[in-house]
C-alpha cells in the first residue's frame, strides 16, 4: 500500500509526460488523476493505521549509497508526522487534478501539465516519507524542479518565465543552507538517518564546529542551517519574494504549491527535526522571530494588493509564519495542526479565486470586479466558507468553530503560555500573531467585498459573459469546504489529545500555568471581528473609500503596495550589484587586463609590426631593385671586411 501511495503519481507522470502524444490528452489526464486519487484513498487507511492505531514502521526499499561509514537507504517512514502529510498532500493534489480538468480545458498542453502535477506530488511524497536527510533532500529538490516547471508552464509568457527563474534562484539560497546542514549532521553524528542523528543529540551538546573561521555550538549551527533551507522553501522573511510571483502559473498550480505541498515542506522539516531544535534554544528563538515577523509582514502587504491571487498568496506567507513561530516555541503539534487545517481552507480559497477568474474571462484585478455574487453564487458561498475558516471564526468557550479557529487559536495560546513561562520571544510572537489576525480578517473580507459585493467596476462585456464554473471545478471546492468547516473539530484530539506523539503533547503543555485566561482565548476572535467590521465600513458602507485612499497615495500606501520595497532593494543590491561586479571582471579584468596584456596585446603588437613591414611592399620594380642593390652592397662589404680581417 505505501509503495502505491508514493510511486503511483510517479508512474502517472512518466506515462503522461513521455507517452502523452500516443496515449492522448484524455487518457493522460485520466491516468494521472486516477493514480493520485488512489494514493489519496490509500493514505486515509495508512493515516488510521499509523496515527490512530499506532502501527508506526519503516519500510526499506533499496540501498542507495554505501561508501565507508556513509550509508543511505531509500525507505518509507510511516509515523504520525508522515501519515498526516500523506493525507494532506494526496488529498489536495487529487482535488487539484480533478479541478484542472475544467480549469485547463482549453489549454493545448494538458498532458504535460498533468504530468508536472503528478511529478510534483511524487517529489513531495518522497520528502515526507523520507527516513534520512539525503532522501528528504532528494524530495526537497524534486519539488523545487517541479515548481519551476509548473510556475513557468506558460513558457511563452515572459512574466511566467521570470517568476519561475526567480523561484528557482531564491530557493537555491535556502537549499545551500539545507545542504550544509545535512553535511554538518553527518560530520557531527556520523549518520544521516533521523533516528541515528537524533539519538546523538544529547551526547554532542558540547561539540563545537568551526564555520568560516568562527566557532559555533554544533547543534545550534545545524539547527540554524536546516532552518535556512526551510526559510527558502516556505517563503519566510528575507527569502519570501518568490512566493507572490509564483501566481504567474496556472491557478491549480498556485493551490498545489501554496496549500499543502512545497511551502509546507519547511514547517515539516522543523517539526521532523524537533530533537535538534529542542537542544538549540538560540536557533529556536531565531525561528520564532522570523516566523512572527513573517506573519506580521505578509499581513500588512496583503492590505494593499489588488490581484485576487496575490492577496491569497500573502495570506499563505502570513499563515506559514504562524506555523514557524509555533514550532520555534516548541509547539510542534500546534504547528502541524495549523498546517493540516490550512491545507483545506487555503486550497479552497485559491481554487475559489480560480473559479472567479474562470467566470470573469481571466480577470484577476479586484478593482475590476464587484457585485458578481449573482453570477457566481456557488463560488461566492464557498469562498465565504474559506474566509470564515481563514479568519478563525468560532466560539472560544465552547470550542466550536471553523477549522482555522482551532489551529490558529492554539498557536496564539501556545505563544502566550511560552511568554508566561519566561520565553522572551513568546510574548513577541503572541502580539504579532494577534495583530496579524486582525489584519488577515480585514484584507480577507476586503477580497470578498471587492469581488462579490458593491457595484461592478469592470468591462461590461466581461460581466455579460460571467458564468459559474462547471461541476468538475465546483465539486473539489465543495469537498475542501467540508474540510474547512469540520477538519479542526474532528482531528483536534489527533494533534493535541490521545493519539498524538509525546513531543506534541509535551510541547502544548501549560508549563505549570493555569489554562490561558478568558481574554487570551477571546482575543483572536475579537480582533478578527474588529477587522471584519472595519472592512464592512470601508468597502460596503463607504464603497470607494479604498480606491480614493489608494489614488491619494502617500508613503504608507506606497510602502505596503510595493511590498516593503523588498524587490527593489534586492534588485539594486543583488541584481545590479552582480551585474556591476560582472562588468568589472569582464570589462576591466578580462578585456583590459587579461586580454589587453595577453592575447590581444601580442596580437596588436604583431599587427602593428606587420603593418610597418607591409609598407615596404610598394609594388614598384625600381623599389625592389634598389633594395636588392643595397643588399648586394651590404653583402659585398661584409665579404671584404671578412677578408681584411684575415
Amino acid at each position: 500500500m505505501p509503495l502505491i501511495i508514493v510511486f503511483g503519481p510517479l508512474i502517472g507522470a512518466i506515462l503522461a509526460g513521455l507517452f502523452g502524444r500516443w496515449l492522448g490528452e484524455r487518457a493522460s489526464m485520466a491516468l494521472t488523476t486516477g493514480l493520485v486519487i488512489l494514493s489519496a484513498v490509500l493514505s486515509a487507511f495508512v493515516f488510521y493505521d499509523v496515527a490512530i492505531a499506532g502501527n508506526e514502521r519503516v519500510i526499506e526499499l533499496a540501498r542507495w549509497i554505501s561508501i565507508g561509514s556513509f550509508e543511505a537507504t531509500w525507505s518509507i517512514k510511516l509515523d504520525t508526522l508522515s501519515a498526516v502529510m500523506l493525507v494532506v498532500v494526496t488529498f489536495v493534489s487529487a482535488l487539484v487534478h480533478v479541478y484542472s480538468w475544467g480549469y485547463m480545458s482549453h489549454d493545448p498542453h494538458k498532458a504535460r501539465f498533468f504530468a508536472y502535477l503528478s511529478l510534483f506530488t511524487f517529489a513531495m511524497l518522497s520528502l515526507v516519507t523520507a527516513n534520512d536527510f539525503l532522501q528528504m533532500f532528494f524530495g526537497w529538490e524534486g519539488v523545487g524542479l517541479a515548481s519551476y516547471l509548473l510556475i513557468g508552464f506558460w513558457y511563452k509568457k515572459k512574466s511566467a518565465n521570470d517568476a519561475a527563474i526567480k523561484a528557482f534562484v531564491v530557493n537555491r539560497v535556502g537549499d545551500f543552507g539545507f545542504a550544509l546542514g545535512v553535511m554538518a549532521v553527518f560530520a557531527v553524528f556520523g549518520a544521516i538517518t533521523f533516528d541515528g542523528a537524533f539519538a546523538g543529540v544529547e551526547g554532542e551538546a558540547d561539540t563545537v564546529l568551526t564555520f568560516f573561521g568562527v566557532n559555533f555550538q554544533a547543534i545550534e549551527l545545524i539547527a540554524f542551517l536546516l532552518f535556512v533551507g526551510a526559510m527558502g522553501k516556505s517563503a519566510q522573511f528575507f527569502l519570501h519574494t518568490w512566493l507572490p510571483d509564483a501566481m504567474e502559473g496556472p491557478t491549480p498550480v498556485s493551490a498545489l504549491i501554496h496549500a499543502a505541498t512545497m511551502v509546507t515542506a519547511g514547517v515539516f522539516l522543523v517539526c521532523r527535526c524537533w530533537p535538534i531544535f529542542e537542544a538549540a534554544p538560540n536557533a529556536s528563538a531565531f525561528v520564532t522571530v522570523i516566523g512572527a515577523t513573517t506573519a506580521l509582514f505578509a499581513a500588512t502587504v496583503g492590505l494593499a494588493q489588488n490581484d485576487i491571487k496575490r492577496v491569497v498568496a500573502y495570506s499563505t506567507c502570513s499563515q506559514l509564519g504562524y506555523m514557524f513561530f509555533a514550532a520555534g516555541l516548541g509547539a510542534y503539534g500546534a504547528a502541524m495542526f495549523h498546517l493540516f487545517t490550512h491545507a483545506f481552507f487555503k486550497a479552497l480559497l485559491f481554487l475559489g479565486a480560480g473559479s472567479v477568474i474562470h467566470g470573469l474571462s481571466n480577470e484577476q484585478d479586484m478593482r475590476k470586479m464587484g457585485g458578481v455574487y449573482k453570477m457566481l453564487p456557488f463560488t461566492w458561498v464557498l469562498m465565504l466558507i474559506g474566509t470564515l475558516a481563514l479568519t478563525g471564526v468560532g466560539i472560544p468557550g465552547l470550542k466550536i468553530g471553523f477549522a482555522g479557529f482551532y489551529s490558529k487559536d492554539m498557536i496564539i495560546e501556545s505563544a502566550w503560555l511560552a511568554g508566561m513561562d519566561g520565553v522572551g520571544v513568546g510574548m513577541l510572537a503572541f502580539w504579532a500573531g494577534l495583530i496579524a489576525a486582525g489584519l488577515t480578517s480585514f484584507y480577507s473580507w476586503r477580497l470578498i467585498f471587492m469581488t462579490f459585493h458593491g457595484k461592478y467596476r469592470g468591462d461590461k462585456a466581461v460581466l455579460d459573459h460571467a458564468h459559474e464554473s462547471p461541476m468538475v471545478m465546483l465539486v473539489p471546492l465543495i469537498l475542501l469546504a467540508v474540510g474547512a468547516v469540520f477538519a479542526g473539530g474532528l482531528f483536534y484530539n489527533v494533534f493535541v489529545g490521545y493519539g498524538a506523539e509525546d513531543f506534541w503533547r509535551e510541547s502544548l503543555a501549560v508549563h505549570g500555568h493555569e489554562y490561558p485566561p478568558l481574554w487570551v482565548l477571546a482575543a483572536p476572535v475579537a480582533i478578527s471581528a474588529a477587522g471584519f467590521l472595519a472592512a464592512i465600513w470601508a468597502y460596503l458602507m463607504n464603497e470607494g473609500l479604498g480606491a480614493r485612499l489608494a489614488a491619494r497615495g502617500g508613503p504608507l500606501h506606497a510602502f505596503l503596495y510595493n511590498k516593503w520595497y523588498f524587490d527593489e532593494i534586492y534588485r539594486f543590491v543583488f541584481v545590479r550589484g552582480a551585474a556591476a561586479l560582472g562588468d568589472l571582471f569582464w570589462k576591466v579584468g578580462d578585456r583590459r587586463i587579461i586580454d589587453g596584456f595577453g592575447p590581444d596585446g601580442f596580437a596588436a603588437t604583431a599587427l602593428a609590426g606587420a603593418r610597418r613591414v607591409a609598407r615596404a611592399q610598394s609594388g614598384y620594380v625600381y623599389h625592389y631593385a634598389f633594395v636588392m642593390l643595397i643588399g648586394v652592397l651590404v653583402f659585398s662589404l661584409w665579404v671584404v671586411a671578412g677578408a681584411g680581417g684575415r
Side-chain angles (χ1 to χ4, degrees):
M1 188 181 298
L3 284 174
I4 298 174
I5 294 173
V6 176
F7 292 101
L10 176 62
I11 294 172
I14 292 173
L15 293 176
L18 299 181
F19 306 104
R21 292 185 179 180
W22 291 274
L23 292 173
E25 288 185 345
R26 294 191 67 83
S28 298
M29 293 161 61
L31 180 65
T32 52
T33 304
L35 288 172
V36 172
I37 291 175
L38 178 62
S39 293
V41 172
L42 296 179
S43 293
F45 288 102
V46 169
F47 177 81
Y48 177 82
D49 183 50
V50 174
I52 307 300
N55 295 322
E56 299 184 354
R57 57 195 182 276
V58 175
I59 303 172
E60 295 188 0
L61 302 181
R63 177 173 293 181
W64 192 1
I65 300 174
S66 180
I67 304 175
S69 61
F70 182 84
E71 292 188 0
T73 303
W74 190 282
S75 306
I76 298 178
K77 182 179 181 67
L78 298 176
D79 62 358
T80 304
L81 196 61
S82 60
V84 169
M85 293 302 295
L86 284 178
V87 170
V88 170
V89 172
T90 56
F91 184 75
V92 173
S93 180
L95 294 181
V96 168
H97 274 73
V98 174
Y99 179 91
S100 298
W101 279 66
Y103 193 87
M104 301 295 289
S105 59
H106 300 297
D107 195 280
H109 306 291
K110 290 187 282 291
R112 178 165 60 89
F113 180 77
F114 277 78
Y116 289 169
L117 288 181
S118 291
L119 178 64
F120 194 111
T121 306
F122 162 72
M124 192 65 192
L125 293 174
S126 299
L127 189 159
V128 300
T129 58
N131 190 45
D132 60 44
F133 284 97
L134 188 61
Q135 183 180 333
M136 176 179 280
F137 189 74
F138 170 85
W140 194 271
E141 295 302 305
V143 294
L145 169 64
S147 67
Y148 170 80
L149 297 173
L150 286 167
I151 295 170
F153 179 75
W154 288 322
Y155 57 88
K156 293 183 179 180
K157 184 180 177 184
K158 184 180 184 302
S159 58
N161 281 326
D162 291 344
I165 293 172
K166 185 176 183 179
F168 197 81
V169 171
V170 173
N171 271 275
R172 296 290 72 74
V173 177
D175 293 355
F176 180 67
F178 186 26
L180 290 177
V182 175
M183 296 174 195
V185 166
F186 182 72
V188 173
F189 303 118
I192 61 169
T193 60
F194 297 130
D195 291 341
F198 299 158
V201 169
E202 184 175 354
E204 301 294 341
D206 298 325
T207 301
V208 175
L209 287 178
T210 301
F211 188 70
F212 287 112
V214 181
N215 293 330
F216 294 94
Q217 186 180 3
I219 306 300
E220 293 279 5
L221 180 61
I222 290 172
F224 173 77
L225 291 173
L226 293 176
F227 179 61
V228 170
M231 285 176 65
K233 198 66 71 181
S234 295
Q236 292 301 282
F237 198 65
F238 295 122
L239 295 179
H240 64 277
T241 54
W242 68 269
L243 192 63
D245 289 357
M247 297 300 97
E248 293 293 337
T251 298
V253 174
S254 304
L256 192 61
I257 291 177
H258 287 243
T261 50
M262 180 172 170
V263 295
T264 60
V267 180
F268 173 81
L269 170 63
V270 174
C271 291
R272 171 61 79 196
C273 298
W274 71 270
I276 294 176
F277 284 91
E278 285 288 295
N282 294 325
S284 294
F286 180 71
V287 173
T288 302
V289 171
I290 291 294
T293 304
T294 304
L296 191 56
F297 152 75
T300 61
V301 175
L303 298 173
Q305 303 307 302
N306 297 310
D307 185 304
I308 187 171
K309 288 171 62 176
R310 285 180 180 265
V311 174
V312 184
Y314 276 107
S315 169
T316 296
C317 195
S318 182
Q319 297 305 306
L320 288 167
Y322 278 94
M323 300 175 206
F324 273 110
F325 79 65
L329 294 171
Y332 305 103
M336 288 302 300
F337 190 24
H338 197 49
L339 184 155
F340 179 77
T341 59
H342 176 264
F344 292 100
F345 58 75
K346 190 49 60 67
L348 173 60
L349 288 172
F350 264 116
L351 296 183
S355 181
V356 172
I357 296 168
H358 180 270
L360 297 180
S361 303
N362 297 319
E363 181 60 68
Q364 295 184 202
D365 192 336
M366 296 188 301
R367 292 171 296 185
K368 300 179 181 179
M369 299 179 187
V372 300
Y373 74 94
K374 296 178 181 178
M375 283 66 71
L376 289 77
F378 293 106
T379 300
W380 171 59
V381 171
L382 293 167
M383 287 201 71
L384 279 177
I385 293 173
T387 301
L388 291 168
L390 171 62
T391 55
V393 173
I395 304 174
L398 300 178
K399 282 295 180 182
I400 298 175
F402 291 82
F405 163 75
Y406 292 90
S407 56
K408 187 167 69 175
D409 283 24
M410 184 189 298
I411 289 175
I412 294 175
E413 292 164 17
S414 299
W416 184 86
L417 290 170
M420 292 298 293
D421 203 41
V423 180
V425 293
M427 280 302 171
L428 170 68
F430 171 73
W431 289 110
L434 271 184
I435 296 171
L439 298 177
T440 298
S441 178
F442 180 82
Y443 70 68
S444 296
W445 289 109
R446 170 180 177 263
L447 182 152
I448 293 295
F449 298 150
M450 287 185 68
T451 302
F452 295 101
H453 297 272
K455 298 178 181 179
Y456 181 74
R457 301 173 297 276
D459 188 349
K460 186 177 184 302
V462 173
L463 184 64
D464 292 339
H465 293 86
H467 60 279
E468 186 60 272
S469 298
M471 287 304 298
V472 72
M473 294 173 62
L474 291 177
V475 169
L477 293 177
I478 294 171
L479 295 176
L480 289 169
V482 173
V485 174
F486 298 109
L490 290 177
F491 292 95
Y492 182 83
N493 287 332
V494 174
F495 291 91
V496 297
Y498 296 104
E501 291 190 33
D502 290 340
F503 77 90
W504 285 0
R505 292 198 297 268
E506 292 172 5
S507 70
L508 292 175
V510 293
H511 305 294
H513 295 284
E514 297 296 330
Y515 201 69
L518 182 60
W519 75 267
V520 174
L521 300 179
V525 174
I527 198 168
S528 295
F532 169 66
L533 294 175
I536 290 179
W537 179 81
Y539 292 96
L540 291 185
M541 297 175 64
N542 295 278
E543 187 176 354
L545 175 62
R548 292 192 295 272
L549 292 175
R552 188 181 305 170
L556 180 59
H557 178 268
F559 183 68
L560 299 180
Y561 181 76
N562 290 288
K563 302 157 287 187
W564 291 26
Y565 292 103
F566 265 98
D567 285 327
E568 289 76 10
I569 294 172
Y570 285 179
R571 188 177 299 112
F572 177 78
V573 175
F574 297 112
V575 178
R576 292 187 179 179
L581 185 63
D583 286 343
L584 176 66
F585 286 136
W586 169 44
K587 295 179 180 179
V588 178
D590 190 24
R591 293 178 61 180
R592 294 185 183 179
I593 298 177
I594 298 176
D595 289 346
F597 291 98
D600 287 352
F602 288 116
T605 302
L607 179 61
R611 286 174 177 171
R612 290 188 179 91
V613 173
R615 292 173 185 172
Q617 305 294 324
S618 65
Y620 295 106
V621 175
Y622 66 88
H623 285 172
Y624 299 149
F626 179 72
V627 173
M628 292 173 64
L629 180 61
I630 293 175
V632 171
L633 178 61
V634 172
F635 179 73
S636 300
L637 291 173
W638 177 74
V639 172
V640 171
R646 290 195 296 272

